Amino acid sequence: MDSPGPRAAPDRAADAFRAQCGGEPALLVRAPGRVNLIGEHTDYNEGFVLPMAIDRAAWIALRPRVERRVTVHAADFGGTLDFAIPTIEKGGPAWGEYVKGVAWSLIEAGHTLAGWEGAVAGDVPIGAGLSSSAALEVAVARGFAAVAGLAWEPLAMARIAQRAENDWVGVPCGIMDQLVSIGGVAGQALLIDCRTLEISPVPLPAGVAVVVLDTGTRRGVAASAYQERREQCQQAARFLGAASLRDVTLRDLARASTALSETTLRRARHVVAENERARLAAEALRRGDAIEAGLLMNASHASLKEDFEVSSPELDAIVAASRSRPDCLGARLTGAGFGGCAVALVREGDLEGFATGVREGYRSMTGREARIYVCAAAAGAELVPV
Ligand code: GLA
């Protein structure tokens, strides 16, 4: 199985802190990435998602300071971000916009911030659809909350982190990633109703592993295509007189089928059916029926490929390579799509054999190397003893 590297991320963050700031960090913050099992492109339609926080995270080693300045060193790619609060400006390293965006968003929400210095490291693959950016945002929010003594209100903090990404970084993401990075529960996936933000933990059945399959591709078109999909979904809802596609049924769509454009109809059909699949998958996992959950994941991939059109040849190839293995119960692309990762539900027993088979199959179909991670469901963001 592919491992994060020679030194674990918390050690890299703490070592970089000692090297760059001198002395010992006072706090260590962990905020996990996530993998979404099912319920894709539903969060911004007020629908259902079923993600889990993973055992890969952004880590920050930090120490409060009297001065109202924030200085952050990036242990993994080098570079330093330095800014004064409360007047925050754009500019500096690209990763720094996530840090400043969270500071800005916390201030916008009425919080008074305090200064700190720290170092960040992580082992969430970047740009792979595993929410490395949400992990960083949530880690920064957790750090600010600790340093300034702010109450750690999960829903409010998830919205603040999402706003940083929407309005400071300029990525129109939904609430799923930040919410699961904060609300993750060890050993459980989370069924999230993205309208009410009600979160229900869903235990993962024994004997089944969640395996992330990284195609190694990263697609630049994702941001504009994501925005386009959001608009198409809104158009469909508006046309049907609904507040969002959450309130639309397949029957409503059938009735409107000749009036909607063929593309809009397919986009809406994906979202409406995916909401139902996410709920059914949560029920299936609750009763220990991983076979049914796997079938729903397969159907989700088909819908994302045909109706929502967010797959890619590499994602299709890695999903096919995974499904050709006898231990695979289901596989689908995860996250926004266009590149990045797929997720598979796999019977435990010979996970190494599964990984080898997927690597070989994917290589023969694409000439590319896959990275494969077995992921445990992790707890959400927390302060960890140094
Ligand atoms: C990205 C966004 C999420 C969600 C997914 C698609 O990961 O950040 O909010 O919309 O795409 O399900």
Side-chain angles (χ1 to χ4, degrees):
M1 225 51 61
D2 292 301
S3 73
R7 267 156 57 257
D11 293 339
R12 292 200 306 279
D15 288 351
F17 181 94
R18 291 182 194 107
Q20 301 285 339
C21 310
E24 287 297 310
L27 298 168
L28 198 53
V29 179
R30 179 189 67 86
R34 64 100 187 92
V35 63
N36 190 17
L37 299 180
I38 195 164
E40 214 67 82
H41 290 276
T42 46
D43 64 347
Y44 54 81
N45 290 298
E46 297 189 310
F48 292 90
V49 293
L50 186 61
M52 65 183 217
I54 57 175
D55 47 354
R56 287 173 170 263
W59 292 81
I60 306 179
L62 70 143
R63 181 169 61 202
R65 54 150 69 129
V66 177
E67 210 187 341
R68 295 194 76 206
R69 279 198 93 70
V70 176
T71 307
V72 191
H73 306 280
D76 296 336
F77 5 91
T80 297
L81 168 75
D82 180 67
F83 63 100
I85 42 180
T87 322
I88 301 165
E89 285 163 11
K90 292 263 164 72
W95 58 267
E97 296 308 322
Y98 295 97
V99 180
K100 286 187 291 174
V102 169
W104 168 83
S105 187
L106 282 163
I107 293 166
E108 286 281 300
H111 295 296
T112 303
L113 301 187
W116 52 274
E117 56 188 335
V120 60
D123 56 12
V124 186
I126 293 174
L130 300 177
S131 293
S132 55
S133 52
L136 177 56
E137 289 154 6
V138 169
V140 170
R142 192 71 196 84
F144 269 116
V147 165
L150 314 178
W152 185 246
E153 300 273 357
L155 294 186
M157 287 295 172
R159 284 202 185 92
I160 284 169
Q162 183 199 12
R163 180 152 188 229
E165 183 139 356
N166 291 166
D167 296 344
W168 184 274
V169 180
V171 176
C173 65
I175 188 76
M176 165 169 68
D177 308 343
Q178 292 79 8
L179 202 50
V180 64
S181 181
I182 291 177
V185 179
Q188 318 239 352
L190 305 180
L191 179 68
I192 304 175
D193 178 338
C194 296
R195 169 167 275 171
T196 61
L197 299 189
E198 189 194 336
I199 300 179
S200 335
V202 177
L204 293 165
V208 175
V210 172
V211 184
V212 168
L213 316 166
D214 189 346
T215 61
T217 58
R218 306 288 183 261
R219 288 292 150 88
V221 296
S224 56
Y226 183 92
Q227 178 62 22
E228 185 188 53
R229 300 297 184 285
R230 278 191 83 133
E231 284 162 13
Q232 289 165 334
C233 292
Q234 275 160 11
Q235 269 168 23
R238 214 174 303 128
F239 185 86
L240 293 159
S244 72
L245 287 178
R246 164 64 177 273
D247 298 320
V248 171
T249 62
L250 286 176
R251 183 180 282 215
D252 297 332
L253 286 181
R255 264 193 242 112
S257 61
T258 49
L260 282 169
S261 85
E262 197 260 340
T263 305
T264 311
L265 182 65
R266 282 188 291 117
R267 301 292 187 259
R269 188 167 61 198
H270 164 72
V271 173
V272 173
E274 185 79 352
N275 276 334
E276 186 61 10
R277 281 189 288 267
R279 277 191 289 200
L280 290 173
E283 276 173 27
L285 290 176
R286 281 203 176 103
R287 44 170 209 271
D289 187 349
I291 292 176
E292 175 69 11
L295 292 173
L296 290 160
M297 288 169 73
N298 290 346
S300 169
H301 186 80
S303 175
L304 287 159
K305 174 176 156 70
E306 307 294 338
D307 279 353
F308 219 64
E309 294 181 285
V310 292
S311 191
S312 69
E314 293 84 4
L315 283 165
D316 292 342
I318 213 160
V319 163
S322 171
R323 286 192 202 153
S324 74
R325 307 301 309 168
D327 291 344
C328 178
L329 298 169
R332 56 180 287 280
L333 73 84
T334 188
F338 304 102
C341 292
V343 60
L345 218 52
V346 184
R347 267 192 208 96
E348 283 174 352
D350 183 17
L351 290 174
E352 280 298 342
F354 169 81
T356 305
V358 173
R359 273 197 209 94
E360 282 168 3
Y362 181 63
R363 193 183 302 125
S364 76
M365 281 185 260
T366 64
R368 290 176 173 276
E369 292 302 315
R371 295 186 71 83
I372 298 180
Y373 316 106
V374 173
C375 288
E382 62 180 349
L383 301 176
V384 177
V386 181

